[in-house]
Amino acid sequence: MTSVIGTIVVPLDGSSLAEAALLPGRDLAGRAGATLRLVGVLPEHADAAEERRFAERLRLAARRAGVEAVPDIRRGAPADQILTEAAGLPQPLIVMTTHGRSGPGRWLLGGVASRVVRGGEAPVLLLRSGMTTPASVASIRRIMVPLDGSAYGEAAIPLAAELAELFDAELRLVRVAETGQLATSFGTTLFSTTREVVSLLAQDLEAAADAYLATTSERLSSRGLRVYPVTLRGFPTAELLAQERNALVDLVVMATHARSGLGRIVVGSVAEELLQAGRRPILMVHPPTGGSALVVHP
């Protein structure tokens, strides 16, 4: 399998919250055989003494985490500098926490994460502050990949497959047959003919999901991966959250934007809702072309 991970980039703002990404970043780089890069950003007006203190804090944090990489200190807008750093590196993957505040309170990493996700091409692994432990990345056993049947949604598959291979993890390919939308579309009428129509449409949606997952799973299984297709029915966000919880998923990997077959659900909004309400790390992958960007709120 051709590697899609060449460099792990860990942004730091001088806070312990942001530094929670150091151990997962180190472990992921070690598994992938990737280069680890640490990047910290100071305001343009920071003086030389402030830069020395900031750099020393980052070096100490890296040393405590067993990370040998020397932090790269940049000046300017944090998201812009992180994206510039990543853009100049081979096959970058950014690992960062969703929240983190610098000592002087200059920038909130949650807002920076939002701009990093929507502003660049590199995939971004977002770790929830307060829930992240080194084991959340180092002990990946089950990876959930939500799919909607589109080529955009499938942009997450190559990276998810590589991680499954690196960690000997199982891939759970999940597609939600959006039967919840049918009730919304047809209303709550009790006419038996309407119920029959809704039932037939729901069966068609489930059959299409089953067929799609079977084909996709077979393609990945032929490469030696352990793949489990899972068809759910209902509303995407609720069903995916339940699957994340009930299947003991360790990591969610999904495209940041795509549109369902019915044209009603934008996967970007589903990814945002999973990030807000879920409990596991989520890896956002950009489709190669077009589409609207996901905004990750702090």
Side-chain angles (χ1 to χ4, degrees):
M1 183 184 301
T2 302
S3 176
V4 293
I5 304 174
T7 312
I8 301 297
V9 180
V10 179
L12 300 169
D13 68 351
S15 73
S16 57
L17 288 172
E19 289 160 10
L22 279 168
L23 282 171
R26 180 202 67 182
D27 293 339
L28 185 53
R31 289 289 184 115
T35 301
L36 180 63
R37 294 288 292 266
L38 311 181
V39 55
V41 185
L42 281 170
E44 292 282 3
H45 57 74
D47 60 29
E50 193 169 3
E51 180 172 347
R52 284 194 298 271
R53 289 193 296 271
F54 183 63
E56 181 60 22
R57 177 184 172 92
L58 298 192
R59 281 194 292 269
L60 287 174
R63 194 176 305 139
R64 286 195 300 270
V67 173
E68 296 181 1
V70 177
D72 180 17
I73 308 301
R74 288 175 166 268
R75 291 171 180 263
D80 292 343
Q81 295 302 316
I82 293 166
L83 291 171
T84 298
E85 178 91 5
L89 299 170
Q91 298 170 298
L93 188 156
I94 299 169
V95 179
M96 63 194 302
T97 50
T98 56
H99 294 81
R101 191 179 294 278
S102 68
R106 286 197 182 90
W107 49 281
L108 181 65
L109 195 52
V112 175
S114 171
R115 291 187 285 276
V116 169
V117 170
R118 71 172 183 259
E121 296 299 322
V124 183
L125 174 58
L126 294 166
L127 308 168
R128 291 174 176 80
S129 303
M131 297 183 187
T132 303
T133 64
S136 67
V137 169
S139 301
I140 294 173
R141 294 293 176 264
R142 295 183 183 87
I143 300 172
M144 181 171 81
V145 186
L147 298 168
D148 69 347
S150 73
Y152 287 111
E154 291 176 6
I157 291 178
L159 186 48
E162 178 165 349
L163 292 172
E165 185 177 63
L166 290 173
F167 290 92
D168 190 27
E170 69 179 45
L171 278 177
R172 300 182 72 85
L173 305 185
V174 182
R175 183 170 179 185
V176 181
E178 297 166 26
T179 55
Q181 295 291 337
L182 295 175
T184 301
S185 299
F186 283 89
T188 57
T189 179
L190 299 179
F191 291 126
S192 61
T193 53
T194 302
R195 288 199 301 271
E196 291 172 4
V197 169
V198 170
S199 177
L200 289 173
L201 288 173
Q203 291 175 33
D204 287 344
L205 288 174
E206 290 184 59
D210 287 340
Y212 169 76
L213 289 177
T215 300
T216 308
S217 298
E218 183 178 358
R219 187 170 71 243
L220 292 169
S221 296
S222 68
R223 293 156 56 177
L225 297 171
R226 290 181 288 126
V227 186
Y228 298 87
V230 180
T231 299
L232 304 173
R233 57 181 295 170
F235 291 97
T237 301
E239 294 302 321
L240 292 172
L241 285 170
Q243 180 69 193
E244 180 204 69
R245 180 177 63 253
N246 297 334
L248 302 178
V249 167
D250 299 305
L251 173 68
V252 179
V253 183
M254 67 186 301
T256 60
H257 58 281
R259 191 171 295 277
S260 73
L262 291 181
R264 294 191 181 98
I265 298 298
V266 177
V267 174
S269 65
V270 174
E272 183 178 356
E273 290 166 0
L274 287 179
L275 178 62
Q276 296 297 319
R279 299 187 62 83
R280 311 312 298 170
I282 183 166
L283 176 52
M284 306 291 193
V285 181
H286 286 273
T289 58
S292 58
L294 166 69
V295 177
V296 183
H297 297 296

